[in-house]
Amino acid sequence: SLMFLGSCNLEKNPYDSVTPGDLEGDLESNIAYQLTGTYGRLKPWSEEIHRIGEYAGDNVNIRNTTTDAFFDYITYKHAEDNGRIYNFWNYSYKAIVQSNDILSLLSKETDPKWETPRGEAYFIRGLSYFYLTTVFGRPYYDSPETNLGVPINLAPSPTSMSEINAPNRSTVKECYAQAIRDLRMAEKLLKNGKSAAYATKA
């Protein structure tokens, strides 16, 4: 007996994702998807910033031992291989780069309807730089001009390996200045508030 095998070119994308082709030419959908994705980065991010800030204080008490990486926060251990702190860093920069993408897409748009999404992107980026700097930098009162904070990246997503932007760490002072610039821009642009789940002028 003969057996025939055929192949087909079946391309399946994840159900909760869109392709660049889906967004081409439709700026409104593109910005809506990008903003939703950027806020989505803050969900796992927010859990970690809460743990980082609270667990090292006296508001949390662990009665037993645990193997969870958050125990490093409680015991003031600064481990390079802490998966939780890696996630905080990773989601922070994903939110920053996605905010950069939105700002890049809207850079030539003058219609006032784009002020709110632009303001949301500035808010998310400024918030991310503020918290990254408080976690990875020395306190501001301790030589902010010389102590290092985090890398400041204002470039959109690279389209090729040659476009990857990997800046060195900026000083704590430069990081705070960037966060303040972004948050002031957000305050200026956010006039029409959405629900409490989104960045608003308040």
Side-chain angles (χ1 to χ4, degrees), residues 145-167:
E145 298 89 0
T146 54
N147 282 327
L148 296 178
V150 296
I152 296 175
N153 178 11
L154 305 180
S157 299
T159 56
S160 69
M161 292 298 284
S162 63
E163 290 180 12
I164 290 179
N165 183 24

Side-chain angles (χ1 to χ4, degrees), residues 35 38-39 42 45 92-104 118-133 150-156 175 177-183 185-186 199:
L35 264 175
T38 308
Y39 278 111
L42 297 182
W45 174 93
S92 295
Y93 276 102
K94 284 181 178 179
I96 286 167
V97 172
Q98 284 182 242
S99 296
N100 294 345
D101 288 344
I102 292 164
L103 294 169
S104 177
R118 189 181 278 130
E120 289 176 90
Y122 276 116
F123 174 81
I124 292 169
R125 190 172 76 181
L127 181 80
S128 299
Y129 276 125
F130 172 75
Y131 280 111
L132 274 166
T133 306
V150 296
I152 296 175
N153 178 11
L154 305 180
C175 292
Q178 183 61 52
I180 291 167
R181 261 193 309 274
D182 284 345
L183 294 171
M185 279 298 292

